[in-house]
Structures are given as C-alpha cells and as structure tokens.
Amino acid sequence: MKIKKSNICLAICTVFFLAGCVSGIRPTGERQTEMSYSRLKLMDLDEMTEILQEKVRVYKRTNSSEPLQEGLEICLSRPDEDSLVEKTLSIVKNPLDDIDEWESSINALVDKSIANLKTDGVHPSDQVTSGVVLENIIAEFKPDLMKQYESPGFEARIVERIAGADVEYSKAAISERKLNLMRGSVGPSHIAQRVLDQRSEVLKKKTKKN
C-alpha cells in the first residue's frame, strides 16, 4: 500500500508542532527563583554588596524601582547566620525610602513569599527561599515591633500578617531545610507568633508596673 507523500509531511509537521507545545509547558515544581537561598548563602559581604549596588546603579539609570525591589528580595533571601543582612539591607532600603516605596515593596515581597508557601507544586528550593525571606523580615522588624505594643506600626502589622497567614513548609521543603540549613520544620508563621507573644509579655509587665 502506497502512502501519499502529503500525508507523511502532515504527520511530520504534526509531531514537530506537538513537540513545540510540550517544550513550552513549564513542569510543575520547576525552580522559579534565580537567586535562591542556597546560592546566596555562599556569597560573602563583598559579593552581596556588589550585587545590590549594581541594582542601585540600574535604578539610577532607568528611574525604575524594579531593580531596587529585586535587590531587596535578593538581600532578604540570604540565610542570615552571619548577620550580613543588617550590613547590606540599607543599600536598597535607603533609595526605596527616598521614593516612598519601602513599605509597598515589603508588602509585595511578603505577599509573594506567603503565596509560594501556600501554593502546591512550588519547588522546595523556592519554598525554603521564601521562608528565609519571611524569617529575615521578622528578625529585622523585631526591635521596632517590640516598642509598638501599645500602638502597632508598620513593622508590627507585617509580623502580624505573617503570623496570621499560617504558612507551613511542604515535606520536601522541610527535608531541604534540614539538609542545607540545619533547620527544622518550624514555619515563619510560628516564628512570627512567638515574637508577638514576646511583645504581649512586655505589655503585661508594663501594665503591672503602672
């Protein structure tokens, strides 16, 4: 039986078309974050400073706050066992403050991080990175938050939102945290709630004195 050449061509074209469609589909759980916690934790102060300063230079050239927001996420995505976040955060925070976009940038980053932890199929590395972001925000905001037990300010509201989000790590993310960060399964919401409880204790002691 002879097969028409036109049918063969049609079949070949169909195969290539379907292959192209499949290649364009992003597999579930594919890593989204370019600057993950595992990459950033290997960088020292000079390397982190250069990355963030480059973001500031791009901001000045383009007059767009997006590079500053990217720098903020990069800075807060680095595990902070060596207190490096405190030394580098001002590089992007100061210009964001100058254009009155610090609070909105933090809000957007918190929303993104919470969504990553709540969404099924997010790559474990991205979940861990988002957890690091939230933990760093809590740590950075804690000193101001502890002074806001009577009239909660921006820092207190952010930590309260993280606590109320009730986010937890997936089993895969917990395994990655244990392997790469030597940390357990305690999620950012639990950490945030502990800080809020500490603030409540301060308020109780102050009330008793009065």
Side-chain angles (χ1 to χ4, degrees), residues 5 7 12 101 119 121 125 135:
K5 186 180 293 185
N7 290 342
I12 293 173
E101 290 193 26
T119 303
S125 178
E135 288 179 18

Side-chain angles (χ1 to χ4, degrees), residues 58-69:
V58 175
Y59 154 67
K60 290 180 178 179
R61 288 199 303 267
T62 62
N63 202 31
S64 167
S65 62
E66 185 175 344
L68 297 178
Q69 293 163 358

